[in-house]
Amino acid sequence: MAVRIKRVYEAPATADGERILVDRIWPRGLSRKDASLDRWMKDVGPSTELRKWFDHRVDRWEEFQDRYQKELSCNSAVGELRGLASSQDVTLLYAAGDHEVCIR
């Protein structure tokens, strides 16, 4: 099964499979109808505490990645997401504007 990553603001495609928003906060300026998603797994996104600590500071990016990986390692929602991805095509949707950072 394929796992794709794209911005939630991009038009849906047939190849997307199940479209899953993985941000903790709902995307700005986007209605639920226009989002064209199948589910919102906000618990897969970084915790509020981690997001606030990171504060979009590039100098904290590497440590942010380490901290986020630790959060994910004990997150039960990740198991659910893996189960979905093992049985069907899924597209993980994010809202952030920096594509290069989001896909690392």
Side-chain angles (χ1 to χ4, degrees), residues 18-62:
E18 181 145 354
R19 293 169 49 87
I20 304 169
L21 178 62
V22 292
D23 275 348
R24 191 164 295 268
I25 297 173
W26 188 262
R28 288 184 189 174
L30 189 64
S31 71
R32 292 184 189 267
K33 178 184 174 203
D34 291 339
S36 298
L37 55 93
D38 298 298
R39 69 176 69 211
W40 181 17
M41 296 184 75
K42 60 183 167 184
D43 291 337
V44 175
S47 68
T48 299
E49 296 79 17
L50 182 56
R51 285 184 311 96
K52 287 182 178 181
W53 172 83
F54 177 54
D55 195 31
H56 301 285
R57 290 181 46 184
V58 176
D59 61 312
R60 292 184 175 176
W61 174 244
E62 290 200 24

Side-chain angles (χ1 to χ4, degrees), residues 58-95:
V58 176
D59 61 312
R60 292 184 175 176
W61 174 244
E62 290 200 24
E63 188 172 348
F64 171 82
Q65 291 179 90
D66 291 340
R67 290 182 181 199
Y68 185 38
Q69 285 293 326
K70 287 178 187 170
E71 284 187 0
L72 290 173
S73 70
C74 58
N75 184 332
S76 61
V78 173
E80 180 183 353
L81 182 57
R82 283 187 178 132
L84 290 167
S86 70
S87 63
Q88 62 189 313
D89 292 341
V90 298
T91 297
L92 306 179
L93 304 169
Y94 65 92

